Amino acid sequence: MASESTLAGRGVELASGPSMRDTFGKIMTDIYDPDRNPNGIVNIGTAENYEMLTEVADRFRDGIRYHSGEFNYGEGPWGSRRLRTAMAKFMERNLKSIHPIDPEKILFASGCTAIFEMLGFALADPGEGLLVSRPCYAAFQDDFELKAKMKCVFVSFGDIDQFSPAAVDCYEKALIEAHRNGTKVRALMLCNPHNPLGRCYPRETIIGLMKLCAKYSVHLLSDEIYALSVFPVDESNGKTEAFESVLSFDTTPYLDSNYLHAVYGMSKDLASGGLRMGCIYTQNDALMRALCAMSKFHWSGTADERLATEMLEDETWLEQFNRTSRARLARSSKVAREALHRAGVAYSKGSNAGFFLWIDLRPWLPKVKGGDKWASEMALWEQLMQNKVFMTPGRGQQAEEPGYFRLIFSQPEHVIKVGMQRVKKTLDQIEKKKRESKI
Ligand SMILES: Cc1ncc(COP(=O)(O)O)c(C=O)c1O
């Protein structure tokens, strides 16, 4: 007898959907290590600042003297005044805010992921829309849809450069189309620097998007989690753009400050994904109250808050850390680009930020009987995994067409090299099979 589920409808829906544990869990417990696990999976798919992890650990090598107030509930889930003051100063220095940042307008939670979920809940009713450019950071969809039940409206650009001011029209078209189909757009996600394209938005485009948001009373969410991971690249990588935070210029002529929210976190630039520290800076008092009402569900530990505070307050260490991080990202991006050249793999140009390259594996999409090109992309991903190398396929990142993958280069050189050898091996196997099938 088929047993009925013990779960409610929404539990059944969650249990029958994709599980992060199935993929992420498998990869993270079988990670390649040249000595301890040479046959493990080379992870050039998960975006972490791997080369800087040791520096963070070293910062706390001599331990830290906690006091009793760091093992109770502290000052509440939104973050201690000391932590928020440290972040305000960090934003003033590093995001180059033109106005002083008021710590009372900052709220912390257990990662930007948590901030997004709360934003989805507070800014939209179920079924209302979030404009997101394609391709995008894969988790945006889950962050806003899974529990908050927003609907992502993905914006396509075709041949238009999505970083150019001309791209603003594409957002407007997508918004109008969504409204026509009954989805009211409530917010627009600006991921700057962009994941997965690794590019920064010129100010004119940001202003264009602000004006669009003002026209339709849409909130602009600026995810600046890679703000400091911007580095010099050689000319072979095309024309690049410097990073400009939405806090760094006077936005009042373009968008009411109640509609502009900046999100930052310590997972990327500060190589501390496991600390679970993300925050929002917003001048919208009602939004702040709504977030405070929910943030107890996304509370970072008070002991972890202390670690974050120590890092943010140590300006000398931070400056050196960031200099080293940028230099290593510049070097490893070059190593990856050279390996891609040797393998004959194209990648999108103009990237000078983040930990990733958007690579074009369309020429190697294998034929899948009865399947479309997305099935081919999945088959290619599976073949890569068989050869023990993990990269994120384009589909989950809402790529406009199949065959693109996000390659993470923020790894030590030997890891990138082994990863690329395995990518090349996979591509060679596919080419061989194609040749044989023609005989
Ligand atoms: C663009 C972007 N935003 C947010 C996040 C999630 O950050 P957190 O670790 O603070 O939840 C990531 C992580 O990959 C990201 O790439």
Side-chain angles (χ1 to χ4, degrees), residues 9-11 13-14 117 120-121 124-130 141-152 183:
R10 57 189 178 185
E13 196 184 320
L14 287 171
E117 196 214 305
F121 210 87
D125 285 320
E128 290 185 327
L130 173 76
Q141 187 163 17
D142 250 10
D143 295 353
F144 288 90
E145 290 189 354
L146 195 68
K147 283 170 76 188
K149 300 290 176 203
M150 272 190 98
K151 187 166 181 242
C152 287
T183 302

Side-chain angles (χ1 to χ4, degrees), residues 47 111-113 116 137 140 191 195 223 225-226 267-268 276:
C112 298
T113 304
F116 293 140
Y137 163 50
F140 279 149
C191 183
N195 176 2
D223 176 355
I225 195 167
Y226 292 99
S267 296
K268 312 295 175 180
R276 308 312 300 133

Side-chain angles (χ1 to χ4, degrees), residues 44 332 335-336 409 411-421:
I44 46 173
S332 52
V335 169
F409 57 72
Q411 286 275 17
E413 192 165 332
H414 71 273
V415 176
I416 303 172
K417 286 196 167 150
V418 177
M420 276 306 298
Q421 277 162 14

Side-chain angles (χ1 to χ4, degrees), residues 47-81:
E48 296 219 52
N49 201 348
Y50 296 95
E51 283 213 278
M52 295 304 291
L53 296 173
T54 308
E55 272 67 15
V56 181
D58 281 352
R59 171 66 184 71
F60 297 105
R61 194 184 32 218
D62 298 330
I64 181 169
R65 268 191 82 81
Y66 284 109
H67 55 78
S68 58
E70 280 148 354
F71 290 97
N72 64 6
Y73 291 138
E75 292 172 31
W78 36 84
S80 68
R81 172 90 191 171

Side-chain angles (χ1 to χ4, degrees), residues 7 50 92 94 119-120 172 174 247 261 314 391:
L7 309 183
Y50 296 95
E92 285 169 6
N94 295 295
L119 283 173
E172 184 161 24
L247 304 178
H261 319 288
D314 191 345
M391 285 190 293

Side-chain angles (χ1 to χ4, degrees), residues 46-48 109-116 136-140 143 189 191-196 223-226 263-268 272-274 276-279 355-356 406:
T46 313
E48 296 219 52
S110 51
C112 298
T113 304
I115 299 277
F116 293 140
C136 64
Y137 163 50
F140 279 149
D143 295 353
M189 173 57 75
C191 183
N192 185 29
H194 190 274
N195 176 2
D223 176 355
E224 303 187 357
I225 195 167
Y226 292 99
V263 176
Y264 187 73
M266 297 182 66
S267 296
K268 312 295 175 180
S272 302
R276 308 312 300 133
M277 286 286 162
C279 68
F355 305 161
F356 17 73
R406 187 188 72 165

Side-chain angles (χ1 to χ4, degrees), residues 323-339:
R323 215 173 302 129
T324 309
S325 176
R326 288 183 207 242
R328 289 185 183 168
L329 289 171
R331 192 194 54 208
S332 52
S333 146
K334 191 158 188 270
V335 169
R337 284 183 283 117
E338 284 170 356

Side-chain angles (χ1 to χ4, degrees), residues 37-296:
N37 193 17
N39 295 322
I41 299 169
V42 176
N43 182 4
I44 46 173
T46 313
E48 296 219 52
N49 201 348
Y50 296 95
E51 283 213 278
M52 295 304 291
L53 296 173
T54 308
E55 272 67 15
V56 181
D58 281 352
R59 171 66 184 71
F60 297 105
R61 194 184 32 218
D62 298 330
I64 181 169
R65 268 191 82 81
Y66 284 109
H67 55 78
S68 58
E70 280 148 354
F71 290 97
N72 64 6
Y73 291 138
E75 292 172 31
W78 36 84
S80 68
R81 172 90 191 171
R82 185 176 157 195
L83 172 64
R84 286 179 287 109
T85 303
M87 179 51 87
K89 293 213 170 95
F90 177 91
M91 286 177 160
E92 285 169 6
R93 277 194 320 275
N94 295 295
L95 304 185
K96 302 190 173 54
S97 64
I98 63 156
H99 300 298
I101 300 286
D102 178 358
E104 292 308 309
K105 301 198 181 304
I106 292 179
L107 171 135
F108 267 85
S110 51
C112 298
T113 304
I115 299 277
F116 293 140
E117 196 214 305
M118 290 191 283
L119 283 173
F121 210 87
L123 297 179
D125 285 320
E128 290 185 327
L130 173 76
L131 286 176
V132 188
S133 71
R134 307 175 70 174
C136 64
Y137 163 50
F140 279 149
Q141 187 163 17
D142 250 10
D143 295 353
F144 288 90
E145 290 189 354
L146 195 68
K147 283 170 76 188
K149 300 290 176 203
M150 272 190 98
K151 187 166 181 242
C152 287
V153 175
F154 296 107
V155 183
S156 303
F157 300 93
D159 292 334
I160 294 169
D161 173 10
Q162 66 163 283
F163 294 85
S164 71
V168 176
D169 283 349
C170 302
Y171 285 89
E172 184 161 24
K173 271 192 204 126
L175 178 145
I176 292 169
E177 178 71 14
H179 284 183
R180 198 178 295 131
N181 294 330
T183 302
K184 177 154 181 45
V185 171
R186 288 298 212 155
L188 184 154
M189 173 57 75
L190 172 70
C191 183
N192 185 29
H194 190 274
N195 176 2
L197 296 177
R199 287 175 62 185
C200 301
Y201 285 83
R203 188 185 290 192
E204 308 90 274
T205 308
I206 300 175
I207 290 174
L209 291 172
M210 286 179 175
K211 287 180 177 167
L212 179 74
C213 287
K215 182 171 171 187
Y216 293 96
S217 301
V218 162
H219 291 269
L220 184 82
L221 316 178
S222 187
D223 176 355
E224 303 187 357
I225 195 167
Y226 292 99
L228 305 195
S229 298
V230 184
F231 45 85
V233 284
D234 45 84
E235 277 174 14
S236 66
N237 200 30
K239 187 180 171 303
T240 56
E241 208 56 61
F243 167 73
E244 283 194 275
S245 166
V246 292
L247 304 178
S248 69
F249 59 96
D250 182 14
T251 56
T252 46
Y254 316 114
L255 183 64
D256 179 334
S257 61
N258 279 311
Y259 283 90
L260 180 62
H261 319 288
V263 176
Y264 187 73
M266 297 182 66
S267 296
K268 312 295 175 180
D269 298 338
L270 298 170
S272 302
L275 265 191
R276 308 312 300 133
M277 286 286 162
C279 68
I280 180 170
Y281 172 73
T282 180
Q283 302 195 61
N284 183 324
D285 294 336
L287 176 63
M288 181 56 87
R289 281 190 69 80
L291 296 176
C292 285
M294 286 182 279
S295 66
K296 68 179 172 201

